[in-house]
Amino acid sequence: MGKIVVIANQKGGVGKTTTAINLASSLAVMEKRILIIDIDPQANASSGLGLDIANIDKTIYDVLLERIPYKEAIHKTFLEYLDILPASQDLVGAEIEMVNMMSRETRLRKVIKNARKEYDFIFIDCPPSLNLLTVNSFTAGDSVLIPIQCEYFALEGLTQLLNTIRLIQKNLNPQLDLEGIILTMYDSRLNLSKMVEEEVRKYFGDKVYKTIISRNVRLGEAPSYGQPIISFDIHSSGAMNYMKLAEEFINGKK
């Protein structure tokens, strides 16, 4: 049975989608069967893996509203072991459509429950907000992976996110666990990056991965070519960081 890992942070621009794409791709290269569920209306994970989101007619939106089974919306990527269930801008209206539905917080869990049998890991890329789509993701997931950028205000809003996770544990998904925290956008030349790392490690201890994702130009360029960093530039520091993170993720060594 596969594990469902939710990648979330209510702040935007922290490397959430970058982590979803590149951690998933690195694990796929290690021949782990991976599915990314893009539940962010911006659909950046979908376009970042080369999909033409303007011309996709079956997405997670259709699955959530139970118009089609999840298998019909899955797309293959150019990596043999990596599939994606893409998003679309229609998700913007999904919350409104789901408000009056029965068990609206558990719809995602219901519609993807059988996907566990086919994948080793399922990553859910959430919107940068604590909305009904994010709540659905937390309710469907086994654990939450939180990217934190090594910049000023890094911990801003994290308290609210952790409180939301506790509420989900209490009311909807008692098994939900904190998978870990990933430090992203690290610049070894800046004292600020080192200070943020120290602070995060002080508060969260062994929940913080040893592997740090450094700032890397090639890592930022890869999505515009619809590729993960390991295929765009395997020799870059970004590719090496994510391969190392994948090994740590698999081995459970934080």
Short mmCIF file of all heavy atoms in Angstrom, two decimals, residues 33-61:
data_model
loop_
_atom_site.label_atom_id
_atom_site.label_comp_id
_atom_site.label_asym_id
_atom_site.label_seq_id
_atom_site.Cartn_x
_atom_site.Cartn_y
_atom_site.Cartn_z
N ARG A 33 7.30 3.83 -7.78
CA ARG A 33 6.10 4.22 -8.54
C ARG A 33 5.47 5.44 -7.87
O ARG A 33 5.04 5.35 -6.72
CB ARG A 33 5.12 3.06 -8.58
CG ARG A 33 5.62 1.82 -9.31
CD ARG A 33 4.72 0.63 -9.06
NE ARG A 33 4.64 0.34 -7.62
CZ ARG A 33 3.66 -0.34 -7.05
NH1 ARG A 33 2.66 -0.81 -7.79
NH2 ARG A 33 3.67 -0.57 -5.75
N ILE A 34 5.42 6.54 -8.60
CA ILE A 34 5.03 7.81 -8.02
C ILE A 34 3.85 8.43 -8.77
O ILE A 34 3.79 8.42 -9.99
CB ILE A 34 6.20 8.83 -8.05
CG1 ILE A 34 7.48 8.22 -7.43
CG2 ILE A 34 5.80 10.12 -7.34
CD1 ILE A 34 7.39 7.91 -5.96
N LEU A 35 2.93 9.00 -7.99
CA LEU A 35 1.84 9.81 -8.55
C LEU A 35 1.86 11.18 -7.88
O LEU A 35 1.93 11.26 -6.64
CB LEU A 35 0.48 9.15 -8.30
CG LEU A 35 -0.76 9.98 -8.70
CD1 LEU A 35 -0.81 10.18 -10.21
CD2 LEU A 35 -2.05 9.32 -8.19
N ILE A 36 1.84 12.23 -8.68
CA ILE A 36 1.64 13.59 -8.15
C ILE A 36 0.19 13.97 -8.40
O ILE A 36 -0.31 13.85 -9.52
CB ILE A 36 2.55 14.62 -8.83
CG1 ILE A 36 4.03 14.34 -8.53
CG2 ILE A 36 2.19 16.04 -8.36
CD1 ILE A 36 4.98 15.31 -9.24
N ILE A 37 -0.49 14.41 -7.35
CA ILE A 37 -1.83 14.98 -7.50
C ILE A 37 -1.70 16.49 -7.34
O ILE A 37 -1.32 16.99 -6.29
CB ILE A 37 -2.81 14.42 -6.45
CG1 ILE A 37 -2.97 12.91 -6.63
CG2 ILE A 37 -4.17 15.11 -6.56
CD1 ILE A 37 -3.85 12.24 -5.58
N ASP A 38 -1.96 17.20 -8.41
CA ASP A 38 -1.88 18.66 -8.41
C ASP A 38 -3.26 19.21 -8.07
O ASP A 38 -4.18 19.13 -8.87
CB ASP A 38 -1.43 19.15 -9.79
CG ASP A 38 -1.15 20.65 -9.81
OD1 ASP A 38 -1.38 21.31 -8.79
OD2 ASP A 38 -0.68 21.13 -10.86
N ILE A 39 -3.40 19.75 -6.86
CA ILE A 39 -4.70 20.25 -6.43
C ILE A 39 -4.67 21.77 -6.24
O ILE A 39 -5.50 22.36 -5.57
CB ILE A 39 -5.19 19.49 -5.17
CG1 ILE A 39 -6.71 19.58 -5.03
CG2 ILE A 39 -4.47 19.98 -3.92
CD1 ILE A 39 -7.29 18.59 -4.05
N ASP A 40 -3.66 22.39 -6.84
CA ASP A 40 -3.50 23.84 -6.82
C ASP A 40 -4.07 24.42 -8.12
O ASP A 40 -3.63 24.04 -9.20
CB ASP A 40 -2.02 24.18 -6.68
CG ASP A 40 -1.75 25.68 -6.56
OD1 ASP A 40 -2.69 26.48 -6.78
OD2 ASP A 40 -0.61 26.05 -6.24
N PRO A 41 -5.06 25.34 -8.05
CA PRO A 41 -5.64 25.92 -9.27
C PRO A 41 -4.62 26.56 -10.21
O PRO A 41 -4.88 26.69 -11.40
CB PRO A 41 -6.61 26.97 -8.73
CG PRO A 41 -6.96 26.51 -7.35
CD PRO A 41 -5.73 25.84 -6.82
N GLN A 42 -3.45 26.95 -9.69
CA GLN A 42 -2.42 27.51 -10.55
C GLN A 42 -1.81 26.46 -11.47
O GLN A 42 -1.18 26.79 -12.48
CB GLN A 42 -1.32 28.16 -9.71
CG GLN A 42 -1.81 29.33 -8.88
CD GLN A 42 -0.71 29.90 -7.99
OE1 GLN A 42 0.14 30.64 -8.45
NE2 GLN A 42 -0.73 29.52 -6.72
N ALA A 43 -1.94 25.18 -11.09
CA ALA A 43 -1.51 24.04 -11.92
C ALA A 43 -0.02 24.08 -12.27
O ALA A 43 0.38 23.61 -13.33
CB ALA A 43 -2.36 23.94 -13.19
N ASN A 44 0.80 24.62 -11.39
CA ASN A 44 2.23 24.74 -11.69
C ASN A 44 2.93 23.38 -11.74
O ASN A 44 3.87 23.20 -12.52
CB ASN A 44 2.91 25.64 -10.65
CG ASN A 44 2.52 27.09 -10.83
OD1 ASN A 44 2.15 27.52 -11.91
ND2 ASN A 44 2.59 27.86 -9.76
N ALA A 45 2.51 22.44 -10.92
CA ALA A 45 3.12 21.11 -10.98
C ALA A 45 2.81 20.44 -12.31
O ALA A 45 3.65 19.73 -12.87
CB ALA A 45 2.64 20.25 -9.81
N SER A 46 1.62 20.67 -12.81
CA SER A 46 1.21 20.08 -14.09
C SER A 46 2.03 20.66 -15.25
O SER A 46 2.60 19.92 -16.06
CB SER A 46 -0.28 20.33 -14.33
OG SER A 46 -1.06 19.83 -13.25
N SER A 47 2.10 21.99 -15.32
CA SER A 47 2.88 22.61 -16.40
C SER A 47 4.37 22.37 -16.22
O SER A 47 5.11 22.25 -17.20
CB SER A 47 2.60 24.12 -16.46
OG SER A 47 2.95 24.76 -15.24
N GLY A 48 4.81 22.26 -14.96
CA GLY A 48 6.23 22.01 -14.69
C GLY A 48 6.69 20.64 -15.12
O GLY A 48 7.89 20.37 -15.20
N LEU A 49 5.74 19.76 -15.40
CA LEU A 49 6.08 18.42 -15.92
C LEU A 49 5.69 18.29 -17.39
O LEU A 49 5.54 17.18 -17.91
CB LEU A 49 5.41 17.34 -15.07
CG LEU A 49 6.11 17.07 -13.73
CD1 LEU A 49 5.26 16.16 -12.84
CD2 LEU A 49 7.49 16.46 -13.93
N GLY A 50 5.52 19.43 -18.05
CA GLY A 50 5.37 19.42 -19.50
C GLY A 50 3.96 19.31 -20.02
O GLY A 50 3.76 19.22 -21.25
N LEU A 51 2.95 19.35 -19.16
CA LEU A 51 1.57 19.25 -19.65
C LEU A 51 1.08 20.61 -20.14
O LEU A 51 1.39 21.64 -19.55
CB LEU A 51 0.64 18.74 -18.55
CG LEU A 51 0.50 17.22 -18.40
CD1 LEU A 51 1.82 16.60 -17.97
CD2 LEU A 51 -0.59 16.88 -17.39
N ASP A 52 0.31 20.57 -21.21
CA ASP A 52 -0.31 21.78 -21.74
C ASP A 52 -1.66 21.94 -21.03
O ASP A 52 -2.67 21.39 -21.47
CB ASP A 52 -0.50 21.65 -23.25
CG ASP A 52 -1.16 22.89 -23.86
OD1 ASP A 52 -1.41 23.87 -23.12
OD2 ASP A 52 -1.44 22.86 -25.07
N ILE A 53 -1.65 22.68 -19.93
CA ILE A 53 -2.84 22.71 -19.07
C ILE A 53 -4.05 23.36 -19.75
O ILE A 53 -5.19 23.10 -19.36
CB ILE A 53 -2.55 23.41 -17.73
CG1 ILE A 53 -2.04 24.83 -17.93
CG2 ILE A 53 -1.56 22.59 -16.91
CD1 ILE A 53 -1.86 25.60 -16.64
N ALA A 54 -3.81 24.16 -20.77
CA ALA A 54 -4.93 24.80 -21.47
C ALA A 54 -5.73 23.80 -22.30
O ALA A 54 -6.88 24.05 -22.65
CB ALA A 54 -4.41 25.91 -22.37
N ASN A 55 -5.11 22.66 -22.60
CA ASN A 55 -5.77 21.68 -23.47
C ASN A 55 -6.00 20.32 -22.80
O ASN A 55 -6.15 19.32 -23.48
CB ASN A 55 -4.94 21.49 -24.75
CG ASN A 55 -4.93 22.74 -25.61
OD1 ASN A 55 -5.99 23.27 -25.96
ND2 ASN A 55 -3.74 23.24 -25.94
N ILE A 56 -6.04 20.32 -21.49
CA ILE A 56 -6.34 19.08 -20.76
C ILE A 56 -7.83 19.08 -20.42
O ILE A 56 -8.34 20.03 -19.82
CB ILE A 56 -5.51 18.98 -19.46
CG1 ILE A 56 -4.02 18.85 -19.81
CG2 ILE A 56 -5.96 17.77 -18.64
CD1 ILE A 56 -3.12 18.86 -18.59
N ASP A 57 -8.53 18.02 -20.81
CA ASP A 57 -9.98 18.02 -20.57
C ASP A 57 -10.40 17.17 -19.37
O ASP A 57 -11.56 17.20 -18.96
CB ASP A 57 -10.73 17.54 -21.82
CG ASP A 57 -10.31 16.16 -22.27
OD1 ASP A 57 -9.38 15.59 -21.66
OD2 ASP A 57 -10.92 15.64 -23.23
N LYS A 58 -9.46 16.43 -18.76
CA LYS A 58 -9.79 15.63 -17.58
C LYS A 58 -8.76 15.90 -16.49
O LYS A 58 -7.57 15.64 -16.68
CB LYS A 58 -9.81 14.14 -17.93
CG LYS A 58 -10.90 13.76 -18.92
CD LYS A 58 -10.85 12.29 -19.27
CE LYS A 58 -11.95 11.93 -20.27
NZ LYS A 58 -11.89 10.50 -20.67
N THR A 59 -9.22 16.44 -15.37
CA THR A 59 -8.32 16.85 -14.29
C THR A 59 -8.85 16.42 -12.93
O THR A 59 -9.93 15.81 -12.83
CB THR A 59 -8.14 18.39 -14.28
OG1 THR A 59 -9.37 18.99 -13.84
CG2 THR A 59 -7.79 18.91 -15.68
N ILE A 60 -8.12 16.77 -11.89
CA ILE A 60 -8.54 16.46 -10.51
C ILE A 60 -9.89 17.11 -10.19
O ILE A 60 -10.65 16.60 -9.37
CB ILE A 60 -7.45 16.90 -9.49
CG1 ILE A 60 -7.81 16.45 -8.07
CG2 ILE A 60 -7.23 18.40 -9.53
CD1 ILE A 60 -7.87 14.96 -7.88
N TYR A 61 -10.19 18.20 -10.86
CA TYR A 61 -11.50 18.87 -10.68
C TYR A 61 -12.64 17.91 -11.01
O TYR A 61 -13.59 17.77 -10.24
CB TYR A 61 -11.55 20.12 -11.56
CG TYR A 61 -12.92 20.77 -11.66
CD1 TYR A 61 -13.39 21.57 -10.63
CD2 TYR A 61 -13.71 20.60 -12.80
CE1 TYR A 61 -14.65 22.19 -10.72
CE2 TYR A 61 -14.95 21.21 -12.90
CZ TYR A 61 -15.41 21.99 -11.86
OH TYR A 61 -16.64 22.60 -11.96
#
